[in-house]
């Protein structure tokens, strides 16, 4: 059986732990220097995963922005952009979303097994639809990605995806960027939701790095013995 991908969770949040505010417009939690750092992380990954809610809310392209990094990937025999991955239970996805219409990288959609036929009819040749269990199990997703040759996976959100990968013990590394302001609105989405996390007062996560990047701070945590080897 193929080994699951080395899994890096990447997230920006406010001081009080929110991923966004409660408005329809995306809240920028970082700065240009950190966006470039995230672009470099993307360029070093085989796949990027976001939840369907992130696609609906933010309409991300999930592409490597730097032309030099794209050229480096091609020189290594890789596609210019990592494979795009999403997870959905209801298959409430717009086939015209940027996730599907930008870039030539493969797009993988893991959906509830009972929704596979509906999802394939909706998305057509825009993506490869894969049964992920009913409900979708991120362990199944990780195992299937490993079998497809994905060695390094970057999970960029949202909160439900972060929670599922963390509580399932599938995260090897967390890169958490803290913005210098508060959101202060409980209607806004949080970094994680309720769950039984492997790290608690009696099993503290290892803080591997603290880095100031302009007016934000990067906290890098080692969450498994695989940290740094992916």
């Amino acid at each position: 059986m193929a080994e699951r991908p080395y899994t890096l969770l990447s997230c920006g949040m406010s001081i009080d732990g929110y991923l966004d505010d409660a408005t329809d417009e995306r809240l920028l939690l970082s700065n240009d220097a950190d966006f470039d750092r995230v672009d470099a992380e993307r360029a070093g990954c085989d796949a990027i995963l976001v939840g369907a809610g992130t696609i609906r809310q933010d309409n991300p392209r999930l592409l490597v922005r730097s032309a030099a990094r794209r050229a480096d990937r091609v020189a290594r025999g890789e596609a210019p952009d990592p494979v795009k991955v999403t997870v959905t239970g209801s298959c409430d996805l717009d086939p015209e979303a940027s996730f599907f219409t930008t870039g030539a990288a493969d797009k993988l959609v893991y959906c509830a097994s009972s929704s596979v036929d509906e999802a394939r009819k909706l998305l057509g040749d825009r993506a490869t639809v894969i049964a992920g269990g009913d409900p979708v199990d991120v362990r199944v997703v990780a195992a299937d990605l490993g079998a497809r040759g994905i060695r390094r996976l970057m999970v960029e959100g949202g909160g439900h995806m972060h929670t599922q990968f963390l509580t399932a013990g599938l995260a090897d590394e967390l890169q958490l960027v803290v913005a210098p302001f508060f959101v202060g609105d409980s209607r806004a989405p949080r970094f994680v939701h309720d769950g039984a996390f492997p790290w608690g007062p009696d099993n503290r996560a290892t803080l591997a790095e603290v880095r100031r990047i302009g007016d934000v701070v990067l906290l890098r945590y080692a969450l498994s013995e695989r940290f740094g080897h992916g």
Side-chain angles (χ1 to χ4, degrees):
M1 179 181 293
E3 188 175 44
R4 71 166 177 84
Y6 181 92
T7 301
L8 158 67
L9 272 59
S10 176
C11 178
M13 70 177 193
S14 62
I15 292 175
D16 50 345
Y18 290 100
L19 299 176
D20 204 344
D21 57 23
T23 68
D24 291 334
E25 293 191 12
R26 183 186 177 193
L27 177 67
L28 294 181
L29 290 156
S30 196
N31 55 41
D32 288 344
D34 186 60
F35 286 138
D36 187 65
R37 179 194 66 81
V38 172
D39 193 60
E41 291 287 355
R42 283 183 177 180
C45 290
D46 300 308
I48 304 171
L49 183 149
V50 296
T54 298
I55 294 176
R56 290 190 292 268
Q57 179 69 24
D58 297 339
N59 196 28
R61 299 189 307 158
L62 302 183
L63 305 177
V64 176
R65 298 179 181 182
S66 164
R69 291 178 185 130
R70 292 167 65 86
D72 286 344
R73 286 179 58 89
V74 172
R76 296 196 299 266
E78 302 172 359
D81 298 295
V83 173
K84 301 183 190 183
V85 184
T86 191
V87 176
T88 176
S90 63
C91 194
D92 180 15
L93 290 167
D94 180 0
E96 298 303 319
S98 296
F99 178 95
F100 299 107
T101 60
T102 60
D106 291 340
K107 291 90 176 173
L108 306 179
V109 175
Y110 291 89
C111 71
S113 300
S114 58
S115 302
V116 166
D117 291 342
E118 176 187 353
R120 287 174 177 163
K121 185 181 300 183
L122 173 69
L123 298 174
D125 61 1
R126 293 276 170 93
T128 299
V129 176
I130 304 148
D134 221 340
V136 180
D137 186 339
V138 291
R139 297 174 185 85
V140 173
V141 173
D144 187 77
L145 288 171
R148 293 173 184 270
I150 301 300
R151 302 176 306 280
R152 186 176 178 90
L153 172 67
M154 187 173 184
V155 179
E156 291 199 23
H160 287 292
M161 284 293 94
H162 291 314
T163 301
Q164 290 181 50
F165 274 87
L166 287 165
T167 57
L170 295 174
D172 301 296
E173 178 176 343
L174 170 62
Q175 294 186 3
L176 188 63
V177 168
V178 182
F181 56 79
F182 295 83
V183 169
D185 188 341
S186 62
R187 297 171 300 169
R190 297 195 69 89
F191 161 46
V192 292
H193 300 273
D194 294 348
F197 296 90
W199 307 275
D202 297 326
N203 184 35
R204 298 160 74 99
T206 300
L207 180 61
E209 181 185 0
V210 178
R211 188 192 319 171
R212 180 176 178 176
I213 307 173
D215 64 348
V216 304
V217 62
L218 168 66
L219 304 175
R220 188 168 174 234
Y221 290 93
L223 300 182
S224 84
E225 68 282 354
R226 303 172 78 197
F227 175 80
H229 298 291

